């Protein structure tokens, strides 16, 4: 398996493609610029089999329907944000996009607990990491020593908590109890900015 980071949209939200030797891939957080993302997928002859959402803020879901409809694949999101994909007030687009509301169709699968998620040959440990939003989840791939943390944990920073359902203390607890429980060498693939590692954040993150 291998992964690649693709910043998309005005907020440069990180979309990730996780692919295997058979060119199957998982699309994580297709935030915007669906045609650009589709072009990258097709140029590499990848075959998407699912979309995973770390949470349902507008900058992480803007290209969901285009990618889902193009490749006829299911979308996974946490149950607590099931209605956010189609609600601009909840996903934040009503507030931040100056009238450009983001509305996507409902997800095909709802995650309502921590579990091991298997999709094709891909396997993820799903951790509930709320705080940035109530349904924030992180996807840990043990074989690669990587965790897709969404907007929970960044290099030397943490997610904002002033949006609907945000809770700073809950976010700090999620990071310390869930993400910091992973091996120190685990690479953190965040929703924005460059990758980091758990050990670095334990030692250097001023919020933690």
């Amino acid at each position: 398996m291998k992964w690649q980071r693709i910043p998309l949209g005005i907020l440069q939200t990180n979309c990730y493609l996780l692919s295997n030797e058979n060119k199957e891939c998982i699309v994580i957080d297709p935030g915007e610029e669906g045609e650009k993302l589709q072009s990258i997928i097709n140029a590499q002859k990848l075959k998407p089999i699912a979309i995973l959402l770390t949470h349902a803020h507008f900058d992480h879901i803007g290209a969901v329907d285009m990618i889902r409809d193009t490749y006829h694949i299911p979308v996974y999101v946490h149950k607590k944000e099931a209605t956010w994909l189609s609600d601009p007030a909840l996903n934040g687009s009503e507030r931040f996009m100056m009238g450009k509301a983001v509305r996507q169709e409902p997800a095909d699968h709802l995650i309502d607990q921590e579990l091991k998620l298997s999709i094709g040959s891909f396997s993820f440990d799903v951790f509930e990491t709320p705080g940035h939003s109530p349904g924030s989840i992180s996807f840990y791939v043990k074989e690669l020593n990587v965790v897709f943390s969404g907007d929970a944990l960044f290099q030397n920073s943490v997610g904002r908590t002033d949006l609907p359902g945000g809770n700073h203390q809950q976010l700090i607890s999620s990071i310390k109890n869930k993400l910091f429980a992973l091996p120190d060498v685990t690479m953190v693939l965040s929703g924005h900015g460059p990758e980091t590692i758990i050990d670095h954040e334990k030692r250097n993150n001023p919020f933690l």
Side-chain angles (χ1 to χ4, degrees):
M1 281 190 296
K2 62 181 181 179
W3 60 269
Q4 59 182 301
R5 172 165 54 91
I6 305 169
L8 297 172
I10 191 170
L11 297 182
Q12 290 292 276
T13 303
N14 290 332
C15 171
Y16 294 94
L17 300 179
L18 180 66
S19 58
N20 63 19
E21 65 278 3
N22 296 321
K23 294 285 190 175
E24 295 174 324
C25 81
I26 303 289
V27 182
I28 300 174
D29 288 352
E32 209 174 327
E33 296 186 278
E35 291 180 356
K36 173 182 175 180
L37 179 57
Q38 186 178 338
S39 175
I40 292 171
I41 290 170
N42 293 344
Q44 298 181 31
K45 295 182 169 56
L46 296 176
K47 297 173 285 187
I49 61 172
I51 295 169
L52 302 183
L53 300 176
T54 61
H55 63 294
H57 281 150
F58 70 95
D59 58 315
H60 291 253
I61 67 170
V64 162
D65 281 355
M66 177 177 287
I67 299 302
R68 168 169 41 190
D69 295 346
T70 298
Y71 301 103
H72 308 290
I73 57 177
V75 175
Y76 293 74
V77 75
H78 195 279
K79 183 178 181 180
K80 289 184 178 178
E81 296 179 15
T83 62
W84 288 37
L85 279 81
S86 59
D87 189 332
L90 290 172
N91 66 43
S93 59
E94 183 179 88
R95 175 180 177 184
F96 292 101
M97 295 293 283
M98 294 175 290
K100 184 183 175 184
V102 174
R103 292 185 177 90
Q104 307 293 336
E105 293 299 314
D108 304 280
H109 298 286
L110 299 179
I111 296 171
D112 61 1
Q113 62 182 333
E114 295 188 339
L115 77 163
K116 185 173 284 292
L117 177 64
S118 294
I119 305 173
S121 65
F122 300 92
S123 181
F124 305 87
D125 288 304
V126 181
F127 299 112
E128 294 178 308
T129 48
H132 174 67
S133 69
S136 287
I137 48 181
S138 296
F139 300 97
Y140 174 56
V141 182
K142 184 176 182 180
E143 297 89 333
L144 292 178
N145 279 328
V146 301
V147 61
F148 300 91
S149 67
D151 287 0
L153 179 63
F154 304 118
Q155 184 186 71
N156 297 328
S157 189
V158 298
R160 63 188 295 175
T161 54
D162 59 336
L163 302 174
N167 184 306
H168 183 74
Q169 290 304 316
Q170 187 180 45
L171 175 64
I172 299 302
S173 177
S174 292
I175 294 169
K176 289 185 174 180
N177 295 328
K178 303 293 178 62
L179 299 180
F180 279 8
L182 296 172
D184 283 351
V185 297
T186 303
M187 183 173 290
V188 180
L189 304 180
S190 304
H192 302 270
E195 52 271 11
T196 183
I197 62 171
I198 292 294
D199 180 62
H200 173 88
E201 298 312 313
K202 285 181 176 179
R203 292 185 290 107
N204 298 288
N205 194 308
F207 294 92
L208 298 159

